[in-house]
Amino acid sequence: MFKKLIILAGIFIAAMLIGVGCSDDDDDCPTCADQITYKGWADGVIYLDPELYMYEMRVHRFAGVMPNIDSVMVGDSMVEPDDIDYDYYYDYGDNYWEIYFSEDGDTSTYMYKSGDIATFKVWGDGMTATCNLKMLDYDDDQIDSVISPAYNADTIAVGDSVTVTWAKSANADYYNIWVEIRDMFNGSSDWYYRYYNTTDTSFVVTPEMLTDSVYYIYVNIVPVTGPDPVSGASNWTGNYITGRLYSYASYEYTRIYGWAIPAPALKIPVEGVTKERPRKTHDEIINSLNQAFK
């Protein structure tokens, strides 16, 4: 009887050990290679113009507590401690890191040029993360021209589509497309925005994208390198932070007229009527595009 109890106990313990081990169906296995628990989520933009600069890369908590970032390296240059800032939106429970970088020197000493692979590393909490990113020059990689339709050269009717084509940016991985729609009805003007992406050098604006009373639309094309916005995959490696880092060139755009008839010009400004296109900085456009693909 005593031997039977020992055998049963051994079977029970073995079953328990099997139950806590890693398996294909185990969703809570911190030691499994495919279940790394990252400390932070990075989201940022890098420019060449012609020096390399990072306007702002934010690192938010990925899960649990915030990461404790010790240092950051861009290429062969360490980021100054004063450029690794800690900020928050409304309270310390909603905090994040802000990382800035601006390359010193001149054209003879700059680390990268258009098409080069830049390396970014972040250390902290005894861990590290790396991102390798192909760089775009803000000016050199800009699209030379919108091939068709030219600015103000075309009109779209109700229910129609229009195809916009442009010259290829040699080093771009894909293009972010930002469609601005000016809707005009009874003398009142409103703006609506749509965000898309494509790996082609053409984009079709379809009726489903538009409003009921289109006065005109802007189609803005932004060359991009970085992670695939469709899959949402990270372009960071390591066990510390995950996320996305992008490089952009300046954007090109065209304007296409719609079917709505604008109201007569007003001599006295009327509140609520927008006469001109709301102008956004390049950084505001990029931030809007990033938010759309998160």
Side-chain angles (χ1 to χ4, degrees):
M1 180 68 181
F2 181 70
K3 289 183 178 179
K4 289 183 179 179
L5 289 174
I6 292 176
I7 293 171
L8 290 173
I11 294 171
F12 177 75
I13 292 171
M16 290 291 290
L17 290 174
I18 292 171
V20 299
C22 293
S23 71
D24 293 339
D25 299 326
D26 195 343
D27 294 328
D28 186 17
C29 180
T31 61
C32 293
D34 62 344
Q35 294 187 32
I36 298 172
T37 302
Y38 298 103
K39 299 281 284 185
W41 169 268
D43 190 12
V45 179
I46 309 296
Y47 303 94
L48 284 177
D49 193 24
E51 77 280 8
L52 186 146
Y53 67 96
M54 184 161 55
Y55 172 70
E56 178 185 279
M57 181 174 74
R58 293 189 177 185
V59 180
H60 296 261
R61 75 185 71 224
F62 185 79
V65 298
M66 282 289 294
N68 296 293
I69 294 177
D70 295 329
S71 54
V72 179
M73 177 176 277
V74 180
D76 59 9
S77 300
M78 296 298 299
V79 175
E80 295 292 334
D82 289 344
D83 292 329
I84 304 175
D85 191 25
Y86 199 63
D87 206 347
Y88 61 96
Y89 290 112
Y90 301 107
D91 208 340
Y92 285 107
D94 195 15
N95 42 12
Y96 55 90
W97 291 95
E98 291 179 332
I99 301 171
Y100 304 87
F101 178 80
S102 182
E103 186 176 9
D104 294 329
D106 54 41
T107 53
S108 66
T109 61
Y110 291 151
M111 293 183 288
Y112 302 112
K113 62 181 182 298
S114 174
D116 286 348
I117 304 298
T119 301
F120 306 87
K121 292 186 177 181
V122 179
W123 290 271
D125 298 300
M127 295 180 282
T128 185
T130 302
C131 178
N132 296 308
L133 177 66
K134 182 172 62 173
M135 298 303 303
L136 293 181
D137 185 279
Y138 183 81
D139 297 313
D140 293 347
D141 288 302
Q142 180 183 12
I143 296 165
D144 289 335
S145 63
V146 173
I147 298 171
S148 177
Y151 189 89
N152 285 351
D154 200 1
T155 300
I156 186 171
V158 177
D160 281 354
S161 299
V162 60
T163 300
V164 179
T165 60
W166 55 88
K168 180 179 176 59
S169 176
N171 291 309
D173 292 336
Y174 59 92
Y175 305 90
N176 278 343
I177 309 297
W178 178 38
V179 181
E180 300 174 88
I181 305 158
R182 187 178 182 185
D183 187 273
M184 181 74 74
F185 183 73
N186 286 340
S188 179
S189 177
D190 291 303
W191 287 88
Y192 299 87
Y193 306 102
R194 309 284 188 263
Y195 304 99
Y196 308 93
N197 63 81
T198 180
T199 56
D200 297 326
T201 54
S202 64
F203 180 77
V204 180
V205 180
T206 64
E208 293 76 20
M209 301 176 186
L210 303 177
T211 58
D212 292 334
S213 304
V214 175
Y215 179 19
Y216 53 74
I217 62 174
Y218 285 97
V219 180
N220 305 272
I221 306 106
V222 185
V224 188
T225 62
D228 179 6
V230 176
S231 68
S234 170
N235 59 341
W236 287 82
T237 59
N239 63 349
Y240 190 37
I241 61 174
T242 185
R244 298 187 288 260
L245 196 59
Y246 302 89
S247 181
Y248 292 90
S250 185
Y251 64 99
E252 184 58 88
Y253 62 91
T254 189
R255 184 166 72 176
I256 303 162
Y257 275 94
W259 55 87
I261 301 174
L266 301 174
K267 295 182 179 180
I268 302 175
V270 176
E271 185 177 356
V273 176
T274 304
K275 293 184 179 180
E276 301 297 333
R277 178 191 185 192
R279 302 304 301 168
K280 291 188 177 184
T281 66
H282 187 267
D283 290 323
E284 288 174 330
I285 293 172
I286 297 309
N287 286 336
S288 297
L289 290 166
N290 281 350
Q291 292 297 324
F293 296 120
K294 281 186 177 180

